[in-house]
Structures are given as C-alpha cells and as structure tokens.
Amino acid sequence: MRGAALPVLLALSVLAACGSEDETTPVACLNGPAAFTQALQSAPGQVRLTDGVPISNCLTENQSGGDLAEVGGALVEVATKLNLAARQDPGGPATVELGYLVGAAQRGSEDTSGIHSELVRRLEAAALFGPAGKPPPPPFDQAYQRGYAEGRGDG
C-alpha cells in the first residue's frame, strides 16, 4: 500500500508546484481605496502606490481569490467615486484619473490568463456609467482618453 501511495503523493506535489509560481499581490495594493485615490492624484503623470508600485502590478497572475476580491473591490469603489466627480466636471482631473485607472487595470490584466477580465469589465462599467444611459459629454472623452493612454503606457 505504501508503494502505491508514493507515486500519488509525488504527482500531487508536482501539481501543487505548478500553481505555486504565482506572484503575490504587493502589500501596497491591499491598503484599500484611499491608497489608490491618493496615488491617482498624480495622473496623468507617473502614478505609484507606496513602495513605488504601479496599479497594474496589483493584478497578478494566479492571484488568490481573497486578494483579487480586496483589490477589485477597492478599484471599483474608486472608479465609482471618480465617475461621480467626472460627471460633475467632465474635463477635470477626476476624469483623467478615471481613465488612468481603467488603462492601468487593463495593462495589468493582459498577462493573467483572463482571471481579471470580469474586474476590468466592472471597472469600465463604473467608469463610463451615465444616468439614463446617456453618453458622457465630449470634454469627458478627451480627458478620459488622456488618462487612459497614460495608464496603459505606465500604469
């Protein structure tokens, strides 16, 4: 019996090792919405969380469900608040920050095998929400795209 268990244990340890090469979520990404809000104030310039962590690094391959929920919840909360501010001042800094946030999240999700696709979809929905389904006014589009381009490039 012992001889039969050894190959099974070896196979399980190999399978466990395959998933253990994941990157851990940087601690700076787990400091809640306020950390992201503060960092985004630098947009469209270089946006960094504490320890110099870009927002895109908060979306890691094989991220644990708990970390994904924590980071995702913070990002969606920030996007929702920025959307409200952006609708009040469509060409203002909140709109640039909102675009940067979405661009950085998209950049971070590119190499994570799709585990962040739902988060990115929710961020886009929160960012582009308009009452009664109305599209945002032209100043919004221009400011959002400016932030988005910077977030995709440096986020």
Side-chain angles (χ1 to χ4, degrees):
M1 189 66 138
R2 207 179 272 184
L6 185 58
V8 172
L9 289 174
L10 286 173
L12 288 175
S13 62
V14 167
L15 286 175
C18 289
S20 67
E21 292 182 29
D22 64 349
E23 303 170 40
T24 58
T25 305
V27 173
C29 302
L30 303 172
N31 290 331
F36 292 102
T37 300
Q38 182 178 357
L40 284 164
Q41 291 174 356
S42 299
Q46 188 178 58
V47 173
R48 296 292 184 260
L49 298 166
T50 56
D51 299 330
V53 175
I55 291 172
S56 60
N57 285 10
C58 294
L59 306 181
T60 60
E61 189 171 5
N62 300 320
Q63 190 166 38
S64 75
D67 285 356
L68 176 56
E70 191 168 341
V71 170
L75 292 178
V76 170
E77 182 178 326
V78 171
T80 301
K81 289 178 180 177
L82 286 172
N83 173 275
L84 178 61
R87 284 188 281 126
Q88 294 171 354
D89 182 12
T95 310
V96 174
E97 294 169 19
L98 187 56
Y100 190 102
L101 177 62
V102 173
Q106 285 184 348
R107 176 186 172 139
S109 72
E110 287 177 343
D111 297 323
T112 62
S113 304
I115 67 168
H116 297 98
S117 58
E118 180 62 17
L119 170 59
V120 170
R121 188 194 67 74
R122 288 177 186 230
L123 283 174
E124 290 170 342
L128 301 175
F129 170 79
K134 292 172 49 177
F140 179 98
D141 289 338
Q142 293 165 352
Y144 182 86
Q145 288 303 321
R146 194 168 109 222
Y148 179 83
E150 290 296 323
R152 288 284 296 167
D154 185 53

